[in-house]
Amino acid sequence: MARTWLDNAFWETPKKEILNAISEEQVDNKQIRQVHKLNKLNEDGSPNELFNEVIEFLGEEQIEASTKKRLEKKQAEAELEKQKKLEQERSKKLEKLFEYKLETFEIPEIKESKNRLLKSKLRRSKSIPEVNLYAMMIVKESVEDENIK
Amino acid sequence: MKTLSKGFVIVASRNSNFYTYAVNLMESIKDFYPEALITLVTEERFIDERADEADQIIFCDNHYRAKLWGMSQSPYDITMYVDADMDCEHEDIAKVWDELGDRDMVFHELTPEREKFYAIREFRYDGGVEKYTLCGGVCLYRSGNPLVREFMEDWFELFNKQHNNMWMPEGFEKQQWDRDLKHFDQTTLWWLTEKEEKYKDLKIGIFRDDIRWNYFTQYGYEGLKSIEGKPPILRHYSGSLKKDVLIV
């Protein structure tokens, strides 16, 4: 059986000088698949016959389409990976923030405070500076109460 | 018709950090659901003014799994048990009772995609492979049903035997049992729900969009999200907190 080429061949460079393609052929009742990285020209500057064979077999349009498809897939994968990393960072930040809040709630003035609103604001804080802000408000209130007494 | 009492049970024992977590959890539930009834099961030595947040306090000892004992002591007809190291983040907490439907117990599910965050999910039993499917981090249950209450009592008692080498059913492999299974209340839960004849008619289910009811912070590492695209209701900090290190 003659050599055929899988239709997922793609350009490795925008200048279309390197082609990545997979050949398939039957040798002694075995189907052989091989990945090729093909330069447009041989080292001596002559045309690469295998390169031209792929273009003739699949057509430039097909190669163009699978290059675009592959690029979109890679971009989507990279975006997913980026999102995953962001989520991971967000989760770790949240864990640290939770520990920081617990520590803040152990400050005697805050521990004993009956101001539900401020304590709730502190608990719902999204960052350490915000936690500090509400913690200061609670402590300030406690000091003022003490002064009145 | 009698109105069913509904409330939360939170257990904090053995380590004072759990008391701190429990206080935070109680307050966070009440931030979103001020009318919530909460029973705190804890050791007398931990109690301070912050326990006033609880509507009822039940004293327990410093048992390794006081949680299971606490679950069996619920004063309510319908109970939502929540692990102390969780934080309530959403007003949907007030809708928790709707999740029970006609079921007796509702859990968070151990799924394959969540598997990597659990110590163990699969184990060998009777020549095959079995899986834990229920996670005990949260449990909504019909504590007014005598059979459910008995279940909770059995869970505690059987776990004690399991942990103290007084019970290992046939079918388990001794080496894996000793190494991975006997320390887990999950093992007892699996046995009671899957193998115990007495409880075969109990209706056991999973929360709808269950990830929201027990969102382990590590789920975020993998970007696991609610199927309805909604934020977590209860976030679980198990695994990230340094439980044996004093908070202050």
Side-chain angles (χ1 to χ4, degrees), chain B residues 25-58:
Chain B
L25 175 59
M26 288 195 292
E27 291 180 353
S28 71
I29 289 173
K30 292 208 172 181
D31 281 349
F32 293 103
Y33 183 13
E35 321 81 62
L37 294 177
I38 301 177
T39 292
L40 174 65
V41 180
T42 192
E43 291 180 50
E44 199 167 0
R45 63 186 169 123
F46 295 149
I47 295 289
D48 60 19
E49 269 194 17
R50 296 175 295 173
D52 292 348
E53 203 65 47
D55 302 282
Q56 289 199 44
I57 297 170
I58 297 175

Short mmCIF file of all heavy atoms in Angstrom, two decimals, chain B residues 25-58:
data_model
loop_
_atom_site.label_atom_id
_atom_site.label_comp_id
_atom_site.label_asym_id
_atom_site.label_seq_id
_atom_site.Cartn_x
_atom_site.Cartn_y
_atom_site.Cartn_z
N LEU B 25 -17.34 29.12 63.28
CA LEU B 25 -18.39 28.51 62.44
C LEU B 25 -19.78 28.92 62.93
O LEU B 25 -20.64 29.29 62.12
CB LEU B 25 -18.22 26.98 62.44
CG LEU B 25 -19.31 26.19 61.72
CD1 LEU B 25 -19.41 26.59 60.25
CD2 LEU B 25 -19.04 24.68 61.82
N MET B 26 -19.98 28.87 64.25
CA MET B 26 -21.29 29.26 64.79
C MET B 26 -21.62 30.69 64.40
O MET B 26 -22.72 30.99 63.93
CB MET B 26 -21.29 29.15 66.32
CG MET B 26 -21.27 27.73 66.83
SD MET B 26 -21.69 27.66 68.60
CE MET B 26 -20.29 28.46 69.36
N GLU B 27 -20.63 31.58 64.60
CA GLU B 27 -20.88 32.99 64.30
C GLU B 27 -21.11 33.19 62.80
O GLU B 27 -21.94 34.00 62.40
CB GLU B 27 -19.70 33.84 64.78
CG GLU B 27 -19.64 33.89 66.31
CD GLU B 27 -18.49 34.73 66.86
OE1 GLU B 27 -17.63 35.20 66.07
OE2 GLU B 27 -18.44 34.89 68.08
N SER B 28 -20.37 32.45 61.99
CA SER B 28 -20.54 32.63 60.54
C SER B 28 -21.89 32.11 60.07
O SER B 28 -22.50 32.69 59.17
CB SER B 28 -19.38 31.97 59.77
OG SER B 28 -19.46 30.56 59.82
N ILE B 29 -22.39 31.04 60.69
CA ILE B 29 -23.74 30.56 60.32
C ILE B 29 -24.75 31.63 60.69
O ILE B 29 -25.63 31.98 59.91
CB ILE B 29 -24.06 29.22 61.03
CG1 ILE B 29 -23.21 28.08 60.44
CG2 ILE B 29 -25.55 28.88 60.91
CD1 ILE B 29 -23.32 26.75 61.17
N LYS B 30 -24.58 32.21 61.89
CA LYS B 30 -25.55 33.22 62.34
C LYS B 30 -25.43 34.54 61.58
O LYS B 30 -26.38 35.31 61.53
CB LYS B 30 -25.45 33.41 63.85
CG LYS B 30 -25.92 32.14 64.59
CD LYS B 30 -26.49 32.42 65.95
CE LYS B 30 -27.11 31.15 66.52
NZ LYS B 30 -27.70 31.35 67.84
N ASP B 31 -24.28 34.79 60.98
CA ASP B 31 -24.15 35.99 60.13
C ASP B 31 -25.19 35.93 59.01
O ASP B 31 -25.74 36.95 58.59
CB ASP B 31 -22.76 36.03 59.46
CG ASP B 31 -21.66 36.52 60.40
OD1 ASP B 31 -21.99 37.01 61.48
OD2 ASP B 31 -20.48 36.39 60.03
N PHE B 32 -25.40 34.73 58.46
CA PHE B 32 -26.31 34.57 57.32
C PHE B 32 -27.69 34.06 57.72
O PHE B 32 -28.63 34.14 56.94
CB PHE B 32 -25.70 33.60 56.30
CG PHE B 32 -24.48 34.14 55.64
CD1 PHE B 32 -23.21 33.72 56.01
CD2 PHE B 32 -24.58 35.11 54.65
CE1 PHE B 32 -22.08 34.23 55.41
CE2 PHE B 32 -23.45 35.63 54.04
CZ PHE B 32 -22.19 35.18 54.42
N TYR B 33 -27.77 33.47 58.89
CA TYR B 33 -29.00 32.80 59.29
C TYR B 33 -29.15 33.02 60.81
O TYR B 33 -28.92 32.12 61.61
CB TYR B 33 -28.82 31.31 58.95
CG TYR B 33 -29.98 30.38 59.19
CD1 TYR B 33 -31.27 30.83 59.44
CD2 TYR B 33 -29.77 28.99 59.14
CE1 TYR B 33 -32.31 29.93 59.64
CE2 TYR B 33 -30.80 28.10 59.33
CZ TYR B 33 -32.05 28.58 59.60
OH TYR B 33 -33.08 27.68 59.80
N PRO B 34 -29.57 34.27 61.17
CA PRO B 34 -29.59 34.64 62.59
C PRO B 34 -30.49 33.75 63.45
O PRO B 34 -30.25 33.60 64.64
CB PRO B 34 -30.09 36.08 62.58
CG PRO B 34 -29.90 36.56 61.19
CD PRO B 34 -29.98 35.37 60.30
N GLU B 35 -31.54 33.18 62.85
CA GLU B 35 -32.47 32.37 63.64
C GLU B 35 -31.98 30.94 63.82
O GLU B 35 -32.66 30.12 64.46
CB GLU B 35 -33.86 32.29 62.99
CG GLU B 35 -34.40 33.56 62.35
CD GLU B 35 -33.84 33.78 60.95
OE1 GLU B 35 -34.10 32.94 60.07
OE2 GLU B 35 -33.14 34.79 60.74
N ALA B 36 -30.86 30.61 63.23
CA ALA B 36 -30.37 29.23 63.30
C ALA B 36 -30.22 28.77 64.74
O ALA B 36 -29.74 29.52 65.60
CB ALA B 36 -29.03 29.13 62.59
N LEU B 37 -30.63 27.54 65.00
CA LEU B 37 -30.41 26.94 66.32
C LEU B 37 -29.15 26.10 66.23
O LEU B 37 -28.97 25.34 65.27
CB LEU B 37 -31.59 26.04 66.71
CG LEU B 37 -32.93 26.76 66.92
CD1 LEU B 37 -34.04 25.75 67.23
CD2 LEU B 37 -32.84 27.80 68.04
N ILE B 38 -28.27 26.28 67.20
CA ILE B 38 -26.99 25.57 67.15
C ILE B 38 -26.70 24.90 68.50
O ILE B 38 -26.82 25.52 69.55
CB ILE B 38 -25.83 26.53 66.80
CG1 ILE B 38 -26.08 27.20 65.44
CG2 ILE B 38 -24.49 25.77 66.78
CD1 ILE B 38 -25.02 28.22 65.03
N THR B 39 -26.35 23.64 68.44
CA THR B 39 -25.88 22.93 69.64
C THR B 39 -24.38 22.72 69.51
O THR B 39 -23.92 22.19 68.49
CB THR B 39 -26.60 21.58 69.80
OG1 THR B 39 -27.96 21.85 70.10
CG2 THR B 39 -25.99 20.76 70.93
N LEU B 40 -23.67 23.16 70.52
CA LEU B 40 -22.22 22.97 70.53
C LEU B 40 -21.89 21.81 71.47
O LEU B 40 -22.27 21.83 72.64
CB LEU B 40 -21.53 24.26 71.01
CG LEU B 40 -20.02 24.18 71.20
CD1 LEU B 40 -19.31 23.94 69.87
CD2 LEU B 40 -19.49 25.47 71.84
N VAL B 41 -21.22 20.82 70.92
CA VAL B 41 -20.78 19.70 71.75
C VAL B 41 -19.29 19.92 71.98
O VAL B 41 -18.51 19.93 71.01
CB VAL B 41 -21.03 18.36 71.02
CG1 VAL B 41 -20.56 17.18 71.89
CG2 VAL B 41 -22.50 18.20 70.66
N THR B 42 -18.91 20.12 73.23
CA THR B 42 -17.51 20.44 73.48
C THR B 42 -17.10 20.02 74.89
O THR B 42 -17.93 19.58 75.68
CB THR B 42 -17.23 21.94 73.24
OG1 THR B 42 -15.83 22.15 73.22
CG2 THR B 42 -17.87 22.82 74.31
N GLU B 43 -15.81 20.19 75.17
CA GLU B 43 -15.31 19.84 76.51
C GLU B 43 -15.47 21.05 77.43
O GLU B 43 -15.26 22.19 76.99
CB GLU B 43 -13.84 19.45 76.41
CG GLU B 43 -13.63 18.13 75.71
CD GLU B 43 -12.14 17.78 75.63
OE1 GLU B 43 -11.45 17.84 76.66
OE2 GLU B 43 -11.68 17.46 74.51
N GLU B 44 -15.79 20.77 78.68
CA GLU B 44 -16.06 21.85 79.64
C GLU B 44 -14.87 22.79 79.77
O GLU B 44 -15.01 23.99 79.92
CB GLU B 44 -16.42 21.23 81.00
CG GLU B 44 -17.13 22.20 81.90
CD GLU B 44 -17.76 21.52 83.11
OE1 GLU B 44 -17.64 20.29 83.23
OE2 GLU B 44 -18.36 22.24 83.92
N ARG B 45 -13.67 22.22 79.67
CA ARG B 45 -12.45 23.02 79.89
C ARG B 45 -12.27 24.12 78.82
O ARG B 45 -11.54 25.07 79.03
CB ARG B 45 -11.22 22.13 79.91
CG ARG B 45 -10.95 21.40 78.61
CD ARG B 45 -9.80 20.41 78.72
NE ARG B 45 -9.75 19.55 77.54
CZ ARG B 45 -8.70 19.43 76.75
NH1 ARG B 45 -7.61 20.12 76.98
NH2 ARG B 45 -8.74 18.61 75.72
N PHE B 46 -12.92 23.99 77.67
CA PHE B 46 -12.74 24.98 76.60
C PHE B 46 -13.67 26.19 76.73
O PHE B 46 -13.42 27.23 76.14
CB PHE B 46 -13.01 24.36 75.22
CG PHE B 46 -12.04 23.28 74.82
CD1 PHE B 46 -12.45 22.23 74.01
CD2 PHE B 46 -10.71 23.33 75.23
CE1 PHE B 46 -11.56 21.23 73.63
CE2 PHE B 46 -9.82 22.33 74.85
CZ PHE B 46 -10.24 21.29 74.05
N ILE B 47 -14.76 26.00 77.46
CA ILE B 47 -15.84 27.00 77.45
C ILE B 47 -15.38 28.40 77.88
O ILE B 47 -14.69 28.56 78.88
CB ILE B 47 -16.99 26.54 78.38
CG1 ILE B 47 -17.64 25.27 77.83
CG2 ILE B 47 -18.03 27.64 78.58
CD1 ILE B 47 -18.46 25.45 76.58
N ASP B 48 -15.76 29.39 77.08
CA ASP B 48 -15.62 30.79 77.50
C ASP B 48 -16.89 31.52 77.04
O ASP B 48 -17.84 30.87 76.58
CB ASP B 48 -14.33 31.42 76.95
CG ASP B 48 -14.26 31.43 75.43
OD1 ASP B 48 -15.32 31.30 74.78
OD2 ASP B 48 -13.15 31.56 74.88
N GLU B 49 -16.88 32.84 77.12
CA GLU B 49 -18.09 33.63 76.81
C GLU B 49 -18.61 33.39 75.40
O GLU B 49 -19.79 33.53 75.13
CB GLU B 49 -17.77 35.11 76.95
CG GLU B 49 -18.05 35.66 78.32
CD GLU B 49 -18.04 37.18 78.33
OE1 GLU B 49 -18.12 37.79 77.27
OE2 GLU B 49 -17.92 37.73 79.44
N ARG B 50 -17.71 33.03 74.50
CA ARG B 50 -18.12 32.89 73.11
C ARG B 50 -19.08 31.74 72.87
O ARG B 50 -19.75 31.67 71.85
CB ARG B 50 -16.88 32.73 72.21
CG ARG B 50 -15.98 33.96 72.22
CD ARG B 50 -14.73 33.74 71.44
NE ARG B 50 -13.89 32.71 72.04
CZ ARG B 50 -12.79 32.23 71.48
NH1 ARG B 50 -12.40 32.69 70.32
NH2 ARG B 50 -12.08 31.29 72.09
N ALA B 51 -19.13 30.84 73.86
CA ALA B 51 -20.05 29.70 73.73
C ALA B 51 -21.50 30.16 73.81
O ALA B 51 -22.42 29.41 73.46
CB ALA B 51 -19.77 28.67 74.81
N ASP B 52 -21.71 31.43 74.25
CA ASP B 52 -23.08 31.97 74.32
C ASP B 52 -23.75 31.97 72.96
O ASP B 52 -24.97 32.03 72.85
CB ASP B 52 -23.06 33.43 74.84
CG ASP B 52 -22.63 33.49 76.30
OD1 ASP B 52 -22.56 32.42 76.93
OD2 ASP B 52 -22.32 34.60 76.78
N GLU B 53 -22.94 31.92 71.93
CA GLU B 53 -23.48 31.88 70.56
C GLU B 53 -24.33 30.63 70.34
O GLU B 53 -25.23 30.61 69.51
CB GLU B 53 -22.30 31.90 69.58
CG GLU B 53 -22.61 32.39 68.20
CD GLU B 53 -23.01 33.85 68.16
OE1 GLU B 53 -22.32 34.69 68.78
OE2 GLU B 53 -24.03 34.14 67.52
N ALA B 54 -24.01 29.57 71.10
CA ALA B 54 -24.76 28.31 70.96
C ALA B 54 -26.05 28.39 71.75
O ALA B 54 -26.12 29.03 72.80
CB ALA B 54 -23.91 27.16 71.47
N ASP B 55 -27.08 27.75 71.23
CA ASP B 55 -28.35 27.72 71.93
C ASP B 55 -28.33 26.63 73.00
O ASP B 55 -29.03 26.71 74.00
CB ASP B 55 -29.48 27.46 70.93
CG ASP B 55 -29.48 28.54 69.87
OD1 ASP B 55 -29.96 29.63 70.15
OD2 ASP B 55 -28.91 28.30 68.79
N GLN B 56 -27.56 25.60 72.73
CA GLN B 56 -27.42 24.51 73.72
C GLN B 56 -25.96 24.09 73.73
O GLN B 56 -25.30 24.09 72.69
CB GLN B 56 -28.25 23.30 73.32
CG GLN B 56 -29.74 23.52 73.47
CD GLN B 56 -30.49 22.19 73.52
OE1 GLN B 56 -30.08 21.25 74.19
NE2 GLN B 56 -31.59 22.13 72.79
N ILE B 57 -25.51 23.68 74.91
CA ILE B 57 -24.14 23.15 75.00
C ILE B 57 -24.24 21.76 75.62
O ILE B 57 -24.94 21.54 76.61
CB ILE B 57 -23.26 24.06 75.87
CG1 ILE B 57 -23.13 25.43 75.21
CG2 ILE B 57 -21.88 23.44 76.08
CD1 ILE B 57 -22.48 26.48 76.07
N ILE B 58 -23.57 20.82 75.01
CA ILE B 58 -23.51 19.46 75.56
C ILE B 58 -22.03 19.17 75.79
O ILE B 58 -21.21 19.36 74.89
CB ILE B 58 -24.11 18.44 74.56
CG1 ILE B 58 -25.61 18.74 74.34
CG2 ILE B 58 -23.91 17.01 75.07
CD1 ILE B 58 -26.27 17.86 73.27
#
